[in-house]
Amino acid sequence: MESVLTQSLSMLWQSADLPSDFIEHLNTICAPLFPEQWTQSKHPLHLLPHLFCEHVGGDPRLLSSIMVAWNLLRQAARILDDFEDGGIEDEHEAGTLLNSSTGLIFSASMLLSNLESEGIAPVVAQAIRKQFYAVLLQTCNGQHQDLLVQRPSLEARWQITRQKSGYFLGLMTWTSARLGTADPEQLRLYQEFGEILGIMDQIHDDLLDLRSTEQTAGDLIRPYHWSLPVAYAFSVLPEFQQTQLQTYLQESMTCPQAEAKAREMIITSGAGLYLTVQLTKYSQLGQKLVEQMGLRSPKADIPLGILKKLCHVN
Protein backbone atom coordinates (compact mmCIF):
# COMPACT_ATOMS: atom_id res chain seq x y z
CA MET A 1 0.00 0.00 0.00
CA GLU A 2 1.29 3.44 -0.90
CA SER A 3 2.28 5.80 1.90
CA VAL A 4 0.36 9.02 2.46
CA LEU A 5 3.30 11.05 1.21
CA THR A 6 3.69 8.97 -1.94
CA GLN A 7 0.00 9.53 -2.69
CA SER A 8 0.39 13.25 -2.01
CA LEU A 9 3.29 13.54 -4.44
CA SER A 10 1.47 11.49 -7.05
CA MET A 11 -1.48 13.89 -6.81
CA LEU A 12 0.89 16.84 -7.19
CA TRP A 13 2.43 15.36 -10.33
CA GLN A 14 -0.96 14.40 -11.74
CA SER A 15 -2.08 18.01 -11.31
CA ALA A 16 0.79 18.94 -13.65
CA ASP A 17 -0.59 16.52 -16.27
CA LEU A 18 2.48 14.27 -16.11
CA PRO A 19 2.19 10.81 -17.71
CA SER A 20 1.98 7.83 -15.39
CA ASP A 21 5.37 6.39 -16.40
CA PHE A 22 7.21 9.59 -15.43
CA ILE A 23 5.25 9.79 -12.16
CA GLU A 24 6.28 6.20 -11.43
CA HIS A 25 9.90 7.10 -12.20
CA LEU A 26 9.83 10.11 -9.84
CA ASN A 27 8.27 7.97 -7.12
CA THR A 28 11.12 5.51 -7.54
CA ILE A 29 13.68 8.30 -7.19
CA CYS A 30 11.91 9.52 -4.04
CA ALA A 31 11.40 6.07 -2.50
CA PRO A 32 14.47 6.23 -0.19
CA LEU A 33 13.14 9.46 1.31
CA PHE A 34 9.58 8.40 2.01
CA PRO A 35 9.28 4.86 3.39
CA GLU A 36 6.01 3.50 4.71
CA GLN A 37 4.73 5.30 7.81
CA TRP A 38 7.28 8.14 7.30
CA THR A 39 4.92 10.58 9.01
CA GLN A 40 4.89 8.36 12.10
CA SER A 41 8.65 7.87 12.06
CA LYS A 42 10.41 8.10 15.41
CA HIS A 43 13.75 9.03 13.86
CA PRO A 44 15.00 12.06 15.86
CA LEU A 45 15.71 14.17 12.77
CA HIS A 46 12.10 13.73 11.63
CA LEU A 47 10.84 14.75 15.08
CA LEU A 48 13.06 17.81 15.36
CA PRO A 49 11.08 20.19 13.07
CA HIS A 50 7.82 19.39 14.86
CA LEU A 51 9.47 19.89 18.25
CA PHE A 52 10.95 23.28 17.31
CA CYS A 53 7.76 24.47 15.63
CA GLU A 54 5.60 23.58 18.62
CA HIS A 55 8.09 25.00 21.12
CA VAL A 56 7.82 28.52 19.64
CA GLY A 57 4.03 28.35 19.36
CA GLY A 58 3.62 27.18 15.79
CA ASP A 59 1.28 24.53 14.40
CA PRO A 60 3.34 21.44 13.41
CA ARG A 61 0.56 20.33 11.06
CA LEU A 62 1.59 23.15 8.74
CA LEU A 63 5.02 21.59 8.28
CA SER A 64 3.91 18.75 6.00
CA SER A 65 4.38 20.28 2.53
CA ILE A 66 7.41 22.28 3.68
CA MET A 67 9.22 19.17 4.87
CA VAL A 68 8.30 17.23 1.73
CA ALA A 69 9.72 20.10 -0.34
CA TRP A 70 12.89 20.16 1.79
CA ASN A 71 13.39 16.41 1.34
CA LEU A 72 12.79 16.63 -2.41
CA LEU A 73 15.48 19.31 -2.65
CA ARG A 74 17.81 17.24 -0.49
CA GLN A 75 17.42 14.26 -2.82
CA ALA A 76 17.94 16.48 -5.87
CA ALA A 77 21.14 17.86 -4.31
CA ARG A 78 22.43 14.34 -3.67
CA ILE A 79 21.86 13.38 -7.30
CA LEU A 80 23.57 16.56 -8.56
CA ASP A 81 26.47 16.05 -6.16
CA ASP A 82 27.01 12.50 -7.42
CA PHE A 83 26.78 13.72 -11.01
CA GLU A 84 29.23 16.59 -10.51
CA ASP A 85 31.69 14.39 -8.62
CA GLY A 86 31.70 11.86 -11.45
CA GLY A 87 29.98 9.21 -9.36
CA ILE A 88 27.57 8.27 -12.17
CA GLU A 89 29.64 6.71 -14.93
CA ASP A 90 26.94 5.58 -17.37
CA GLU A 91 26.17 8.52 -19.67
CA HIS A 92 22.53 7.55 -20.22
CA GLU A 93 21.91 7.02 -16.50
CA ALA A 94 23.61 10.32 -15.73
CA GLY A 95 21.37 12.20 -18.14
CA THR A 96 18.23 10.53 -16.80
CA LEU A 97 19.12 11.27 -13.17
CA LEU A 98 20.08 14.84 -14.00
CA ASN A 99 16.68 15.39 -15.55
CA SER A 100 15.02 13.69 -12.57
CA SER A 101 16.78 16.02 -10.14
CA THR A 102 15.40 18.97 -12.10
CA GLY A 103 11.93 17.45 -11.76
CA LEU A 104 12.36 17.19 -7.99
CA ILE A 105 13.40 20.85 -7.77
CA PHE A 106 10.31 21.99 -9.69
CA SER A 107 8.14 19.67 -7.59
CA ALA A 108 9.44 21.34 -4.44
CA SER A 109 8.73 24.75 -5.95
CA MET A 110 5.14 23.72 -6.68
CA LEU A 111 4.67 22.68 -3.05
CA LEU A 112 6.17 25.93 -1.75
CA SER A 113 4.01 28.01 -4.08
CA ASN A 114 0.88 26.60 -2.47
CA LEU A 115 1.59 27.17 1.24
CA GLU A 116 -1.13 29.78 1.73
CA SER A 117 -3.84 27.34 0.71
CA GLU A 118 -2.72 25.07 3.56
CA GLY A 119 -3.37 27.72 6.18
CA ILE A 120 -0.01 29.46 6.42
CA ALA A 121 -0.29 33.25 6.67
CA PRO A 122 0.80 34.97 3.43
CA VAL A 123 3.59 36.96 5.11
CA VAL A 124 4.98 33.78 6.70
CA ALA A 125 4.67 31.78 3.48
CA GLN A 126 6.52 34.48 1.57
CA ALA A 127 9.28 34.61 4.20
CA ILE A 128 9.69 30.83 4.01
CA ARG A 129 9.90 30.82 0.21
CA LYS A 130 12.45 33.65 0.27
CA GLN A 131 14.57 31.76 2.82
CA PHE A 132 14.39 28.56 0.77
CA TYR A 133 15.59 30.25 -2.41
CA ALA A 134 18.33 32.26 -0.66
CA VAL A 135 19.73 29.16 1.07
CA LEU A 136 19.58 27.13 -2.14
CA LEU A 137 21.64 29.80 -3.90
CA GLN A 138 24.14 29.79 -1.03
CA THR A 139 24.35 26.01 -1.23
CA CYS A 140 24.94 26.23 -4.98
CA ASN A 141 27.79 28.63 -4.29
CA GLY A 142 29.29 26.12 -1.89
CA GLN A 143 29.16 23.43 -4.56
CA HIS A 144 30.60 25.89 -7.10
CA GLN A 145 33.54 26.62 -4.80
CA ASP A 146 34.02 22.89 -4.18
CA LEU A 147 34.29 22.26 -7.91
CA LEU A 148 36.28 25.40 -8.71
CA VAL A 149 38.86 25.46 -5.90
CA GLN A 150 40.75 22.19 -6.33
CA ARG A 151 43.17 22.75 -3.44
CA PRO A 152 41.34 24.84 -0.83
CA SER A 153 42.96 26.03 2.37
CA LEU A 154 41.65 24.52 5.59
CA GLU A 155 39.70 27.73 6.28
CA ALA A 156 38.16 27.67 2.79
CA ARG A 157 37.25 23.99 3.20
CA TRP A 158 35.38 24.78 6.41
CA GLN A 159 33.46 27.54 4.65
CA ILE A 160 32.53 25.18 1.81
CA THR A 161 31.35 22.61 4.36
CA ARG A 162 29.16 25.21 6.09
CA GLN A 163 27.64 26.31 2.77
CA LYS A 164 27.06 22.81 1.36
CA SER A 165 26.07 20.94 4.51
CA GLY A 166 25.31 23.44 7.27
CA TYR A 167 23.07 25.94 5.53
CA PHE A 168 20.61 23.37 4.23
CA LEU A 169 19.93 21.78 7.62
CA GLY A 170 19.77 25.29 9.06
CA LEU A 171 16.99 25.97 6.55
CA MET A 172 14.95 23.10 7.98
CA THR A 173 15.26 24.28 11.58
CA TRP A 174 14.76 27.98 10.71
CA THR A 175 11.60 27.20 8.76
CA SER A 176 10.24 25.08 11.60
CA ALA A 177 10.62 27.99 14.00
CA ARG A 178 9.34 30.59 11.50
CA LEU A 179 5.90 29.03 11.63
CA GLY A 180 5.70 30.18 15.25
CA THR A 181 7.84 33.30 15.55
CA ALA A 182 9.30 36.21 13.59
CA ASP A 183 11.77 37.16 16.33
CA PRO A 184 15.19 37.40 14.61
CA GLU A 185 17.10 36.33 17.72
CA GLN A 186 14.93 33.25 18.21
CA LEU A 187 15.22 32.34 14.55
CA ARG A 188 19.01 32.72 14.75
CA LEU A 189 19.18 30.12 17.54
CA TYR A 190 17.26 27.53 15.56
CA GLN A 191 19.08 28.25 12.32
CA GLU A 192 22.51 28.00 13.96
CA PHE A 193 21.55 24.71 15.60
CA GLY A 194 20.60 23.26 12.21
CA GLU A 195 23.84 24.51 10.66
CA ILE A 196 25.80 22.84 13.45
CA LEU A 197 24.00 19.55 12.77
CA GLY A 198 24.87 19.80 9.08
CA ILE A 199 28.54 20.50 9.77
CA MET A 200 28.73 17.71 12.35
CA ASP A 201 27.13 15.30 9.89
CA GLN A 202 29.86 16.11 7.34
CA ILE A 203 32.62 15.73 9.95
CA HIS A 204 31.07 12.40 10.99
CA ASP A 205 31.09 11.19 7.37
CA ASP A 206 34.69 12.35 6.88
CA LEU A 207 35.81 10.47 9.98
CA LEU A 208 34.06 7.32 8.72
CA ASP A 209 35.79 7.75 5.36
CA LEU A 210 39.11 8.26 7.12
CA ARG A 211 38.75 4.94 8.91
CA SER A 212 37.30 2.99 5.99
CA THR A 213 39.04 0.30 4.00
CA GLU A 214 39.60 0.65 0.27
CA GLN A 215 36.54 -1.56 -0.28
CA THR A 216 34.29 0.93 1.52
CA ALA A 217 36.14 4.16 0.79
CA GLY A 218 34.07 7.29 0.43
CA ASP A 219 35.03 10.80 -0.60
CA LEU A 220 38.30 11.00 1.34
CA ILE A 221 40.56 10.29 -1.63
CA ARG A 222 39.59 12.81 -4.29
CA PRO A 223 42.71 14.38 -5.81
CA TYR A 224 40.96 17.49 -7.10
CA HIS A 225 38.32 18.10 -4.42
CA TRP A 226 39.91 18.03 -0.99
CA SER A 227 37.87 16.85 1.97
CA LEU A 228 38.38 18.26 5.48
CA PRO A 229 40.94 15.56 6.46
CA VAL A 230 42.95 16.18 3.28
CA ALA A 231 42.85 19.96 3.71
CA TYR A 232 44.02 19.56 7.30
CA ALA A 233 46.90 17.27 6.29
CA PHE A 234 48.13 19.79 3.72
CA SER A 235 47.91 22.57 6.32
CA VAL A 236 50.31 20.82 8.74
CA LEU A 237 52.61 18.63 6.65
CA PRO A 238 56.02 19.96 5.57
CA GLU A 239 56.36 20.89 1.90
CA PHE A 240 58.15 17.72 0.77
CA GLN A 241 55.42 15.55 2.34
CA GLN A 242 52.72 17.70 0.74
CA THR A 243 54.28 16.96 -2.64
CA GLN A 244 54.37 13.25 -1.81
CA LEU A 245 50.76 13.24 -0.64
CA GLN A 246 49.60 15.05 -3.77
CA THR A 247 51.33 12.40 -5.90
CA TYR A 248 49.62 9.61 -3.98
CA LEU A 249 46.24 11.33 -4.33
CA GLN A 250 46.64 11.68 -8.09
CA GLU A 251 47.56 8.00 -8.40
CA SER A 252 44.92 6.78 -5.95
CA MET A 253 42.09 6.64 -8.49
CA THR A 254 43.80 3.75 -10.30
CA CYS A 255 46.28 2.42 -7.73
CA PRO A 256 45.06 0.87 -4.44
CA GLN A 257 48.58 1.01 -3.00
CA ALA A 258 48.75 4.78 -3.58
CA GLU A 259 45.30 5.16 -1.99
CA ALA A 260 46.50 3.27 1.10
CA LYS A 261 49.66 5.38 1.36
CA ALA A 262 47.68 8.62 1.00
CA ARG A 263 45.25 7.49 3.71
CA GLU A 264 48.14 6.58 6.01
CA MET A 265 49.77 9.99 5.54
CA ILE A 266 46.49 11.79 6.26
CA ILE A 267 45.89 9.75 9.41
CA THR A 268 49.49 10.23 10.58
CA SER A 269 49.11 14.00 10.13
CA GLY A 270 46.60 13.97 13.00
CA ALA A 271 43.53 14.68 10.85
CA GLY A 272 41.38 12.20 12.76
CA LEU A 273 42.20 13.71 16.15
CA TYR A 274 41.68 17.22 14.80
CA LEU A 275 38.23 16.40 13.41
CA THR A 276 37.23 14.54 16.58
CA VAL A 277 38.06 17.66 18.60
CA GLN A 278 36.06 19.80 16.16
CA LEU A 279 33.12 17.40 16.45
CA THR A 280 33.16 17.79 20.23
CA LYS A 281 33.43 21.57 19.93
CA TYR A 282 30.39 21.80 17.65
CA SER A 283 28.44 19.46 19.93
CA GLN A 284 29.12 21.77 22.87
CA LEU A 285 27.96 24.77 20.84
CA GLY A 286 24.79 22.87 19.95
CA GLN A 287 24.14 22.06 23.61
CA LYS A 288 24.41 25.75 24.51
CA LEU A 289 21.90 26.63 21.78
CA VAL A 290 19.42 24.05 23.12
CA GLU A 291 19.75 25.67 26.53
CA GLN A 292 19.22 29.16 25.06
CA MET A 293 16.09 27.92 23.29
CA GLY A 294 14.65 27.09 26.71
CA LEU A 295 14.17 23.42 25.94
CA ARG A 296 14.14 21.10 28.93
CA SER A 297 13.99 17.31 29.29
CA PRO A 298 12.27 15.32 27.89
CA LYS A 299 11.93 17.66 24.87
CA ALA A 300 15.59 18.61 25.01
CA ASP A 301 16.51 14.93 24.82
CA ILE A 302 15.69 14.89 21.10
CA PRO A 303 18.20 17.52 19.86
CA LEU A 304 20.76 16.49 22.49
CA GLY A 305 20.39 12.87 21.38
CA ILE A 306 21.13 13.83 17.77
CA LEU A 307 24.28 15.68 18.88
CA LYS A 308 25.40 12.67 20.88
CA LYS A 309 24.77 10.30 17.99
CA LEU A 310 26.81 12.43 15.58
CA CYS A 311 29.70 12.44 18.03
CA HIS A 312 29.80 8.64 18.01
CA VAL A 313 31.88 7.38 15.09
CA ASN A 314 32.12 3.60 14.74
Side-chain angles (χ1 to χ4, degrees), residues 278-304:
Q278 295 302 308
L279 200 58
T280 301
K281 183 191 78 171
Y282 278 109
S283 178
Q284 292 170 346
L285 290 173
Q287 292 170 38
K288 290 181 180 179
L289 288 171
V290 171
E291 184 178 343
Q292 292 172 0
M293 292 172 192
L295 284 167
R296 299 291 181 266
S297 185
K299 290 183 177 180
D301 295 343
I302 294 176
L304 293 178

Side-chain angles (χ1 to χ4, degrees), residues 61-72:
R61 292 174 297 181
L62 299 177
L63 274 169
S64 180
S65 290
I66 296 171
M67 293 313 303
V68 174
W70 185 86
N71 275 284
L72 288 174

Side-chain angles (χ1 to χ4, degrees), residues 124-274:
V124 176
Q126 182 58 24
I128 289 173
R129 281 190 290 267
K130 182 178 179 180
Q131 188 75 0
F132 258 85
Y133 299 143
V135 169
L136 289 175
L137 286 171
Q138 292 164 348
T139 303
C140 285
N141 177 57
Q143 180 69 357
H144 176 73
Q145 295 302 318
D146 194 23
L147 294 167
L148 185 67
V149 184
Q150 295 185 357
R151 301 179 183 181
S153 66
L154 183 59
E155 180 181 1
R157 184 66 248 180
W158 276 115
Q159 182 60 25
I160 290 171
T161 298
R162 179 175 289 275
Q163 291 177 337
K164 287 186 61 177
S165 304
Y167 286 174
F168 195 65
L169 265 172
L171 171 64
M172 177 185 71
T173 49
W174 182 94
T175 301
S176 304
R178 186 60 184 87
L179 287 173
T181 182
D183 181 357
E185 178 59 22
Q186 285 290 308
L187 293 173
R188 180 191 65 80
L189 295 176
Y190 291 94
Q191 182 174 9
E192 286 189 5
F193 183 82
E195 289 180 7
I196 284 174
L197 288 186
I199 294 170
M200 288 181 67
D201 186 53
Q202 184 59 59
I203 298 173
H204 184 273
D205 284 350
D206 283 344
L207 283 170
L208 288 176
D209 286 346
L210 193 62
R211 301 174 185 182
S212 68
T213 65
E214 61 181 86
Q215 286 79 22
T216 59
D219 290 337
L220 173 67
I221 307 300
R222 296 189 303 166
Y224 302 113
H225 302 292
W226 289 357
S227 62
L228 282 169
V230 175
Y232 174 80
F234 274 99
S235 74
V236 298
L237 290 174
E239 187 173 349
F240 79 94
Q241 285 187 307
Q242 291 182 36
T243 301
Q244 189 177 38
L245 177 56
Q246 184 60 38
T247 299
Y248 288 148
L249 288 173
Q250 290 173 339
E251 296 174 353
S252 65
M253 303 304 292
T254 56
C255 178
Q257 290 80 10
E259 189 272 344
K261 290 179 179 179
R263 185 180 300 277
E264 182 180 1
M265 287 190 70
I266 295 166
I267 292 173
T268 304
S269 75
L273 177 60
Y274 168 74

Side-chain angles (χ1 to χ4, degrees), residues 86-98:
I88 307 173
E89 296 181 358
D90 183 82
E91 185 175 339
H92 176 72
E93 180 186 7
T96 301
L97 287 174
L98 183 62

